[in-house]
Amino acid sequence: MTERYSKYCITVLLLVVALMCSIRVFATPFNDNEGGFPDELFHVGRSLQNTIRISELINFGHIDNSVDDLAGFSSRVETVCELGIEKPDICPGYFESRVNNVYPVSSGNIRGKGVYIFHGLMQLVLHNVNVGFRIYFARMMAVMIGVLMVYVIYRLSFLLFHDQRLAIAVAASIGLMPSVSNIVSAVSTEGPALLAVALLLLSTTIIVVQGFSIARLLLFGFSVLCCLFTKITAIIPLPILMLFFLDRVGFSWKKLLAVFGFLIVIAITFLRGDATKAGVAHWYFERNPGLVSVHGTPVKLAYQVFYKAYGVEKNIKPNAIANDWAIGYTCLTEFDNISCDSFPSQFSNTIVQFLPTREAKRLAGKIVTFGSWMYANDGEIVSSPAIVLGYDNANQDVVGGSQHTGNGAWEFVVNHIQLPNDIRDIGVSLDASNQSLIFWDDIVLIEGLLGAEGGPPVFDNRDSSSGVWNGIRFSNLLKNGSAEQHWNNVPDSLWSFMINYGTGTWANRLNGQLFTLYDLDRTGSGYFAGIRAMFVTFWGSFVGGDWPGLARWHYVVAIVFVIISLYGWLRYVNFDSKLKVMPLGLPLYFWCLILAYLITGILRMEISAEWVPPLYYSTSRFVLPAIIPVMLLLISGLVFLTSRKLSRLLIATLVLLIFLANSWMLLRVELPYFKCDIEPRWVCTDL
C-alpha cells in the first residue's frame, strides 16, 4: 500500500468514525431515564464548574445561568450542586453538610481533573446559550477526542506491525467498535481514558523501537500525566509498564514478580494491624443498590454487642454453649459514632442474611422453622425474625414473622412457614424499626417442622451451626447465627489512600468488595454473571456502556474470531523462531495488561450478599481501554495463521463485520429505543 493511498484510507476512516459518533451525539437524549448516559450530567456539571472558575480567574466574565437547568435532565439528583456545580444560592450549605461527606458527589473529580479542565476551557467560547446547546457542544468535543484516539492507535499499530493495512485494520476495528463509538459520543472520562492509554502505549512503543531521546521522554511524561488526571482505570497500565521497562534494562520477570509479591506480603502484614471491627459476619443492614452506582454507599454490617455490658445476663438463656455476643440495635452511640437517624436515605433499620441461591431453590415448597433468642425492654412490642422471599431488589415479600411483647428477659421466639414453589432467594430479616433497644442471638433457619412444642434448641457449638431440638438433630442453614464471628474493615490507611489518590466511590466500596469474598457462597453466582455482563458490553453497548446493544449472534461471531486468533497465537508459541509481528516483549506486556484490566473489572462489579440477585451492576466501560491491547493481539493472532491470504481475508471480514454491527446497533437498537414512547422501551428494538 502506497503512502498516499494509506493517507486517503485513514482520512476516510476518521471521517466515518466522526460521522457515526455525530449521529449519536444528536440522537441521544439528555435525560438519563430516556437512554442518555447516566453519568454524562455529572461530567457536564463538573466541566461547567471549571468554566465558572476559569472565567472568574481570568476575568473573562460570567457564563449564563442556564447551568441551573442541568438538574432537570437527571432522575437521580434534585439540585445542580449534586452534579458538582457550586451554587450556594440554590443549595446553601450543601458542600459543608454531612450528606455531602457521606455521598462523595465529587468522586472522580480529582482523577478526572484533566477532562473537566479541557471541557471547561472549551465552554468559554459559548455565551448566552441554553444548557442543551452546551451539552451538544461538549459531546462534539468528546467526538474530537475519539477521532484523535483512532489516529493515535493507527500510529501505534504502524509502529508495531510496520504494515499500513494492519495499522488501518486495528484503528478501524477499535474506532468502529460499537461500545467505543457509543462512549466517545458522550461527555465522559472513559473516552479520554482511551486516548490517554493509547498515547501511553504509543510513547512506550516509540522508545522501545527507536530508543530514548528528550522528545520521546517528554511525550512519555505527557502521556503519564494524561493517565493520572483522566480516570483511575487509565492508571492500570503504569505499574505493568514499570515492570516492562525494568525487564528491558536487564531485570528478569521472575525476579521482578518475586520482589513485587514480597512487597505485597509486607504491605498486607503491615495493614492488618490497622483494621477495625466492622460488625457481625454475614449479617447486613439493608442497602439500596441504586445509591451505590451514584455515590458508592458503603456496606454496613449488623452491630456486634457484648450484651452483658447493658446489664443483660445470659443465664436466663438455658443454652448448653456459652456465647457473650449478639446482634444488637440501639440508639445509644456505643454501637456507632453517629445517631440512629444519620443515614435515613442510605440504610434501613432492617438486618438481613440471604442463603446461597442454590440452597434457596432446594427449599422451594418445603416447610421451614426459624426463630431466635430475643431481648427487648419490658412492654415494648418488637418484630420476631421473618422470612424474606426475594425476587429482585425491588420485589421482596417479608412473611412468617410475628409481633412479640418484650418482658425485659431473654425469650426464644419461633415460627414456621411453608415456602412457595416459585421462590428465587430466601433470607431472614431482623426488623429494628422504631426500637430503642433489641438483641438477637442464636438465630436459626432449619428445614422441616421443629420446636412446635417443648423447650428451645440446644446447640453443639458457639456458632450455633448445629444442635438438638426436642430430641431431633438439626443443621442451621444460617451462617454465624450466634453473632460470635465478626469481620474487620479494610485498613484505615488503605481507605485514606484511596480517598486522597483514587476516588471516594472506590474507597467506599472497599469493605463491600472484601465482604463479597468472605461471603463467596452467596456472591459467587454474582461474579459469574458479572463476567458475562462485562463480555457482552465490551463489544457492543449503549447508554454509556451500561446496557448491551447487540444480539446474541453478534457475540457468537466475536467468540469465533477470538478462538481463531487464539489458534494463531498457539502457532506463534510453537514456531516462535519463524513468526515475528511485534517488537520483543510487547506481546507479553499486552497480555499482562488485559489480565490487569480483567481483575479491575471484577473488582469494580457491584456485588453484595444482601442484594437479590447478588450482582446489581457490571459493565466493561470501566475497563474499556483494554480494547486496545485486545484488538492488537486479536489481529496479531489472525496474522499468525498458516495462509497470508486467509489472514488478510479474515482481518478484512472482521473490520467489515464490526462496521455492520455498529450500524445495526445504531439503527435497530439505539434510535428505536430513544424514540420509543412505550415502557419498557426494549419492545421497540430488535433485541
Side-chain angles (χ1 to χ4, degrees):
M1 179 182 289
T2 64
E3 184 177 352
R4 181 179 179 181
Y5 185 66
S6 65
K7 289 182 179 179
Y8 171 77
C9 290
I10 191 63
T11 301
V12 171
L13 171 62
L14 296 178
L15 289 175
V16 171
V17 170
L19 176 62
M20 298 200 73
C21 291
S22 298
I23 295 174
R24 286 186 167 92
V25 164
F26 295 103
T28 305
F30 300 144
N31 297 69
D32 58 10
N33 59 354
E34 295 178 2
F37 177 28
D39 289 351
E40 183 177 47
L41 297 175
F42 290 88
H43 298 310
V44 172
R46 294 166 186 169
S47 300
L48 292 178
Q49 178 59 33
N50 277 275
T51 303
I52 295 172
R53 289 174 177 170
I54 295 171
S55 63
E56 292 174 350
L57 183 65
I58 63 177
N59 294 321
F60 191 76
H62 296 287
I63 67 170
D64 51 274
N65 290 325
S66 64
V67 296
D68 298 348
D69 302 327
L70 192 62
F73 298 120
S74 176
S75 63
R76 302 194 292 175
V77 303
E78 296 180 357
T79 67
V80 292
C81 296
E82 295 175 79
L83 296 175
I85 297 179
E86 299 178 14
K87 300 283 287 186
D89 55 324
I90 295 179
C91 33
Y94 176 79
F95 284 87
E96 293 76 33
S97 68
R98 176 170 181 80
V99 173
N100 182 55
N101 293 332
V102 175
Y103 292 167
V105 295
S106 61
S107 178
N109 207 0
I110 296 176
R111 192 60 54 227
K113 182 63 71 176
V115 179
Y116 303 136
I117 290 177
F118 167 78
H119 280 292
L121 287 170
M122 295 298 101
Q123 290 287 336
L124 285 174
V125 304
L126 301 179
H127 289 277
N128 298 320
V129 296
N130 59 46
V131 71
F133 189 87
R134 290 189 178 278
I135 295 176
Y136 280 133
F137 181 78
R139 286 179 176 179
M140 290 306 299
M141 293 299 100
V143 171
M144 184 181 71
I145 291 174
V147 171
L148 180 59
M149 177 267 299
V150 174
Y151 181 75
V152 171
I153 291 174
Y154 163 74
R155 299 301 305 171
L156 166 66
S157 304
F158 182 71
L159 272 175
L160 291 172
F161 298 122
H162 299 288
D163 187 310
Q164 296 281 7
R165 293 186 182 89
L166 291 180
I168 293 173
V170 173
S173 63
I174 295 175
L176 297 174
M177 187 68 67
S179 55
V180 174
S181 183
N182 179 269
I183 199 65
V184 299
S185 305
V187 184
S188 69
T189 52
E190 284 79 13
L194 279 165
L195 175 59
V197 172
L199 278 173
L200 180 67
L201 297 180
L202 175 63
S203 60
T204 302
T205 304
I206 290 175
I207 292 175
V208 170
V209 174
Q210 301 177 2
F212 290 95
S213 72
I214 294 178
R216 293 162 194 159
L217 288 175
L218 288 175
L219 177 62
F220 176 76
F222 174 73
S223 64
V224 170
L225 286 176
C226 289
C227 291
L228 291 175
F229 294 100
T230 302
K231 189 175 179 65
I232 194 169
T233 51
I235 303 176
I236 302 301
L238 294 180
I240 302 176
L241 186 63
M242 180 184 67
L243 294 176
F244 172 74
F245 276 129
L246 289 174
D247 175 68
R248 295 288 294 178
V249 297
F251 291 90
S252 69
W253 274 91
K254 291 182 179 180
K255 292 181 180 179
L256 290 172
L257 292 176
V259 171
F260 188 65
F262 179 71
L263 293 176
I264 290 178
V265 171
I266 292 178
I268 292 175
T269 304
F270 173 76
L271 292 174
R272 285 186 65 182
D274 195 23
T276 57
K277 181 186 292 188
V280 182
H282 302 289
W283 292 94
Y284 302 82
F285 275 98
E286 281 188 338
R287 180 174 51 140
N288 182 355
L291 294 178
V292 178
S293 297
V294 183
H295 306 294
T297 305
V299 68
K300 190 176 182 66
L301 296 179
Y303 304 122
Q304 185 186 45
V305 297
F306 185 68
Y307 51 79
K308 289 195 294 183
Y310 295 86
V312 179
E313 294 297 331
K314 68 180 180 182
N315 56 13
I316 304 175
K317 294 167 49 181
N319 201 345
I321 303 296
N323 50 29
D324 298 329
W325 296 97
I327 294 175
Y329 187 86
T330 178
C331 288
L332 301 175
T333 56
E334 285 87 347
F335 285 170
D336 207 344
N337 295 325
I338 53 176
S339 61
C340 287
D341 58 354
S342 294
F343 294 109
S345 59
Q346 290 191 88
F347 299 101
S348 70
N349 294 330
T350 303
I351 300 165
V352 295
Q353 179 184 150
F354 281 96
L355 301 181
T357 302
R358 64 179 184 279
E359 189 72 24
K361 292 181 178 179
R362 187 183 65 81
L363 294 175
K366 297 182 179 180
I367 296 176
V368 293
T369 300
F370 56 99
S372 76
W373 284 100
M374 294 181 63
Y375 178 93
N377 290 329
D378 188 21
E380 193 166 85
I381 299 176
V382 296
S383 299
S384 69
I387 293 293
V388 183
L389 303 177
Y391 304 96
D392 55 45
N393 287 302
N395 299 304
Q396 297 182 5
D397 296 328
V398 180
V399 296
S402 60
Q403 295 295 305
H404 174 71
T405 302
N407 62 0
W410 282 105
E411 297 178 272
F412 194 86
V413 180
V414 62
N415 288 290
H416 312 86
I417 188 174
Q418 181 165 2
L419 300 173
N421 293 317
D422 60 344
I423 56 175
R424 177 173 181 173
D425 278 286
I426 302 171
V428 169
S429 168
L430 309 177
D431 185 12
S433 301
N434 302 318
Q435 306 302 327
S436 60
L437 180 67
I438 185 170
F439 298 137
W440 298 272
D441 201 2
D442 297 327
I443 310 159
V444 295
L445 174 60
I446 304 168
E447 180 182 349
L449 181 61
L450 293 176
E453 57 184 22
V458 177
F459 297 97
D460 297 332
N461 41 45
R462 288 173 59 87
D463 59 9
S464 304
S465 60
S466 62
V468 177
W469 201 346
N470 296 341
I472 301 175
R473 294 206 57 81
F474 69 87
S475 294
N476 191 358
L477 298 177
L478 297 174
K479 296 180 179 179
N480 194 30
S482 64
E484 295 297 295
Q485 181 186 359
H486 75 272
W487 288 337
N488 287 336
N489 293 303
V490 297
D492 292 340
S493 53
L494 179 59
W495 186 88
S496 299
F497 177 84
M498 187 59 70
I499 281 285
N500 294 326
Y501 302 103
T503 69
T505 302
W506 278 65
N508 280 352
R509 284 191 176 100
L510 288 174
N511 280 334
Q513 294 293 345
L514 180 63
F515 299 158
T516 59
L517 298 179
Y518 290 157
D519 232 334
L520 202 57
D521 277 353
R522 167 68 183 162
T523 59
S525 60
Y527 279 106
F528 284 111
I531 291 174
R532 178 182 179 276
M534 285 175 56
F535 178 81
V536 298
T537 55
F538 188 77
W539 305 103
S541 55
F542 70 115
V543 191
D546 287 352
W547 296 347
L550 298 177
R552 291 184 178 180
W553 63 269
H554 289 107
Y555 300 113
V556 173
V557 174
I559 292 172
V560 169
F561 272 94
V562 169
I563 293 174
I564 295 174
S565 179
L566 289 175
Y567 170 75
W569 275 101
L570 288 176
R571 292 193 72 248
Y572 173 81
V573 172
N574 293 329
F575 304 100
D576 187 27
S577 59
K578 298 180 180 179
L579 299 172
K580 298 292 181 184
V581 71
M582 289 187 192
L584 187 64
L586 283 175
L588 178 60
Y589 169 60
F590 290 150
W591 282 110
C592 291
L593 189 56
I594 292 172
L595 178 61
Y597 272 115
L598 176 61
I599 295 173
T600 302
I602 292 174
L603 293 176
R604 189 57 178 79
M605 294 176 187
E606 290 169 10
I607 299 175
S608 197
E610 80 271 26
W611 294 338
V612 179
L615 173 70
Y616 179 73
Y617 180 69
S618 176
T619 178
S620 65
R621 72 178 172 91
F622 301 116
V623 297
L624 201 55
I627 195 73
I628 301 174
V630 164
M631 295 311 300
L632 285 170
L633 293 175
L634 192 150
I635 289 182
S636 297
L638 298 180
V639 172
F640 294 146
L641 297 177
T642 54
S643 168
R644 176 174 293 184
K645 183 179 294 186
L646 177 62
S647 295
R648 290 181 176 179
L649 177 62
L650 286 174
I651 292 171
T653 303
L654 174 64
V655 174
L656 177 61
L657 290 177
I658 289 174
F659 171 75
L660 293 176
N662 194 347
S663 303
W664 187 91
M665 189 178 84
L666 176 63
L667 299 175
R668 308 297 291 273
V669 178
E670 293 177 82
L671 295 182
Y673 185 92
F674 299 150
K675 295 178 181 179
C676 188
D677 55 2
I678 305 173
E679 293 294 342
R681 292 171 177 254
W682 292 106
V683 299
C684 299
T685 71
D686 281 2
L687 293 180

